[in-house]
Amino acid sequence: MTLHRDMPALLPLTDALMVASEQPAIAAVTTWVKEYLCRPHPELGRNGPMCPFVPGALQKELLFVATYDRDDLDVAAIKAILLAEMERFIALPPTSGNEAQFKSLMVLFPALSLDDARALIEPAQAELQQCFVPNGLMVGEFHAGPPRKSGLWNPEFKPLYSPVPMLVIRHMVPTDVLFLKDDARLFAEYTKIYGNAVPERFRAQFEEASARFGVVLSPGNDAPQGAPRIIEALETAELTYRVHRHDDFPQPIRNPGDFAEALGYALGRITKTLFLRCRDSGRHCLVVCGMDKRVDLRGISSRLDAGRLEMAPLTDLQKHIGYPPTSVTPIAVEGIPVFIDESLMEHSTVLTGSGVPRVEIEIAPADLRSLCDARVVAMA
């Protein structure tokens, strides 16, 4: 699964890979994952494994590794590698639902000495967070130093040890407020994604950071949990809508089919919003259709008379849309034309993204069309 010829293979970390791989770094990392990340540690300061997500990721075979065995690296080169891997990570299935939260990618740099790892990995991570967080992603730094960051539960413990220098990509979760609360820009990006939907046990830290950085959000624990600008657009237009949080359902929501079943709706009422770019003109558009529709970019290009359309790159998504890739919606997006599949208009309501992972907005399709000034087209 490579996007470019010069990118290494993307491999799921499994027992079979450890046995078959001829790369010592992969064998060392596999042992580290099982013996360190998946087990409790006496200095961690809490019960449970070092990383609570890793055992599930291993079981689901959603922990991936890519190895860059180069000794000519500097901070700029590492950043370029990680930005390319971010694109690959987002495109890697599963791209939505609960399963996607278990997906992680370890980008290994085994040729770096310990001194080089200290000099390069941590500065690269700090700069990369500015690109990853707005996309609903986190990047973590690991090496044998270990890195200087203290544990959340024991400030004397430095938990980010690994035998091979690496940077790790994963999806952001609400508890990441603890890693972002001391940086004004990163905290602001967190609130764009989660609003005030912070775990209750971390609310004090969240409110302290909000006050320190002058971030004003809707008060109250039961405020609508969607991106603030989406909720503001809906409220300003005085539209009727409903917020659905995947985590409020008794059954796990792993994919759009699970969500439709939990609601008792047809799959076609759950929408996907495609952010497209015309290859010739560079102009963008948003196309909204049901999850039951197979996307045919050539057919959409013909129906919209828009030239040759392609999926817009992640950098364009961040610049023009500002929502995480798994939570895109046409609501509160300015200056980009929106097209809605005519079959959606047959439903009483449809579901669209909220700008927040695992949270969706239910709204009448006519209201969605009006709010987004969208054109209805046939996408059969």
Side-chain angles (χ1 to χ4, degrees), residues 44-270:
L44 184 58
R46 61 162 172 78
N47 297 324
M50 180 72 68
C51 179
F53 289 97
V54 169
L58 275 179
Q59 182 181 14
K60 299 172 185 294
E61 296 188 358
L62 291 177
L63 187 58
F64 297 87
V65 60
T67 304
Y68 288 81
D69 197 3
R70 294 168 45 185
D71 58 5
D72 61 339
L73 297 170
D74 56 16
V75 170
I78 291 175
K79 286 174 60 181
I81 288 170
L82 264 290
L83 290 172
E85 289 294 354
M86 177 171 67
E87 298 271 1
R88 182 156 66 161
F89 177 83
I90 289 171
L92 181 68
T95 58
S96 62
N98 187 57
E99 296 287 297
Q101 297 298 311
F102 287 93
K103 185 175 64 176
S104 298
L105 170 57
M106 299 183 294
V107 184
L108 309 185
F109 301 99
L112 292 181
S113 68
L114 179 56
D115 286 343
D116 286 341
R118 286 178 170 140
L120 301 178
I121 293 293
E122 293 173 66
Q125 184 272 343
E127 295 181 30
L128 284 163
Q129 283 285 68
Q130 304 294 328
C131 300
F132 276 66
V133 170
N135 286 292
L137 301 173
M138 297 287 287
V139 58
E141 73 277 29
F142 294 84
H143 59 71
R148 294 164 291 180
K149 286 182 182 174
S150 298
L152 294 175
W153 312 100
N154 177 6
E156 301 300 319
F157 181 48
K158 304 295 186 290
L160 302 180
Y161 162 83
S162 70
V164 178
M166 69 176 77
L167 288 162
V168 179
I169 302 171
R170 63 170 174 81
H171 282 286
M172 189 190 299
V173 294
T175 54
D176 284 325
V177 65
L178 295 179
F179 300 109
L180 307 175
K181 64 181 178 62
D182 295 321
D183 183 295
R185 181 172 182 268
L186 296 182
F187 181 75
E189 294 294 342
Y190 173 93
T191 61
K192 288 180 185 178
I193 294 173
Y194 289 108
N196 57 8
V198 64
E200 189 59 35
R201 65 186 182 277
F202 304 136
R203 184 159 296 278
Q205 294 97 318
F206 175 85
E207 292 178 350
E208 187 277 331
S210 296
R212 178 157 37 100
F213 298 133
V215 176
V216 179
L217 297 168
S218 300
N221 296 341
D222 57 351
Q225 295 186 14
R229 65 181 166 119
I230 292 179
I231 300 302
E232 181 181 0
L234 291 164
E235 294 291 340
T236 300
E238 299 182 347
L239 296 176
T240 300
Y241 68 95
R242 183 178 178 186
V243 177
H244 294 277
R245 293 180 358 110
H246 291 188
D247 295 335
D248 288 341
F249 290 90
Q251 63 270 56
I253 307 298
R254 294 177 290 265
N255 52 54
D258 289 343
F259 188 42
E261 183 177 351
L263 292 169
Y265 291 172
L267 182 60
R269 289 174 69 174
I270 314 298

Side-chain angles (χ1 to χ4, degrees), residues 292-311:
D292 59 340
K293 287 292 180 75
R294 185 172 182 177
V295 178
D296 175 11
L297 292 184
R298 182 174 297 178
I300 292 176
S301 299
S302 175
R303 291 182 184 89
L304 300 183
D305 192 24
R308 186 174 179 181
L309 291 174
E310 61 186 4
M311 297 298 293

